């Protein structure tokens, strides 16, 4: 949706094709929205989320349409999480909790770790980490992010 100024919303995105399937040991869902269809090439973003027993979360983002576009995505981490680059992704830790994040794509993407702002309450701003990815080129494109629980060695 187009948001401008405080509490002002212009063109509104609508959900499309929302599906949820429960399994014995997990959940699969998918949905898209109409928020970018007014742009040249009528881009359509669809996200699929798959959660399975064992602590693995897979998020697939697909952007279809035509023409050249800049596509960005990423993850804003809650306060208290630390991030360390590792082979093929990142290791996210908070106390004894550890999650490995890998990001892959069918097109060449760039990934980055930046500071971002989190607003836990009105007028309150905290600096947190944001893991992002970016693509500039022809559509369609897809990105897959896999979050997997890890056990940290005592030496960390």
């Amino acid at each position: 949706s187009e948001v401008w100024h405080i509490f002002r919303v212009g063109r509104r995105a609508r959900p499309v094709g929302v599906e949820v399937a429960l399994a014995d040991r997990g959940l699969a869902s998918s949905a898209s929205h109409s928020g970018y269809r007014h742009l040249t090439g009528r881009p359509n973003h669809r996200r699929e989320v798959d959660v399975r027993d064992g602590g693995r979360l897979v998020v697939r983002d697909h952007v279809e349409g035509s023409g050249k576009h800049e596509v960005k995505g990423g993850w804003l981490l809650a306060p208290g999480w630390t991030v360390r680059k590792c082979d093929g992704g990142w290791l996210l830790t908070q106390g004894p909790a550890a999650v490995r994040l890998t990001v892959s794509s069918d097109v060449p993407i760039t990934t980055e770790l930046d500071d971002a702002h989190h607003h836990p309450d009105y007028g309150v701003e905290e600096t947190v980490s944001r893991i992002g990815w970016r693509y500039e080129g022809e559509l369609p494109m897809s990105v897959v992010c896999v979050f997997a629980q890890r056990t940290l060695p005592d030496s960390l």
Side-chain angles (χ1 to χ4, degrees):
S1 297
E2 292 176 334
V3 179
W4 50 277
H5 203 31
I6 297 175
F7 304 113
R8 303 286 185 207
V9 179
R11 190 177 295 136
R12 295 168 193 250
R14 303 285 184 224
V16 178
V18 177
E19 296 179 15
V20 177
L22 297 174
D24 288 339
R25 302 188 108 143
L27 167 112
S29 64
S30 67
S32 63
H33 64 81
S34 62
Y36 305 128
R37 292 193 181 155
H38 67 281
L39 298 174
T40 302
R42 298 179 54 80
N44 182 55
H45 173 231
R46 185 176 82 252
R47 174 168 281 177
E48 299 169 359
V49 177
D50 189 7
V51 182
R52 297 292 172 192
D53 192 20
R56 191 174 127 131
L57 167 68
V58 180
V59 180
R60 294 176 185 88
D61 287 300
H62 307 281
V63 182
E64 298 171 343
S66 62
K68 186 175 181 179
H69 295 270
E70 180 182 32
V71 183
K72 296 181 191 178
W75 305 100
L76 190 65
L77 302 180
W81 283 87
T82 59
V83 182
R84 188 179 77 205
K85 186 82 170 144
C86 62
D87 285 343
W90 291 270
L91 182 64
L92 318 175
T93 58
Q94 183 181 49
V99 176
R100 181 182 164 112
L101 168 60
T102 57
V103 180
S104 60
S105 180
D106 61 349
V107 296
I109 59 172
T110 57
T111 58
E112 57 201 8
L113 174 63
D114 293 314
D115 286 339
H117 299 289
H118 164 68
H119 300 91
D121 205 350
Y122 185 78
V124 177
E125 181 176 277
E126 296 178 358
T127 300
V128 295
S129 296
R130 181 181 184 279
I131 297 171
W133 56 263
R134 181 180 175 280
Y135 167 70
E136 189 167 338
E138 298 287 328
L139 296 180
M141 63 86 61
S142 296
V143 173
V144 178
C145 297
V146 179
F147 296 84
Q149 288 180 322
R150 290 288 181 249
T151 302
L152 288 176
D154 291 336
S155 62
L156 283 180

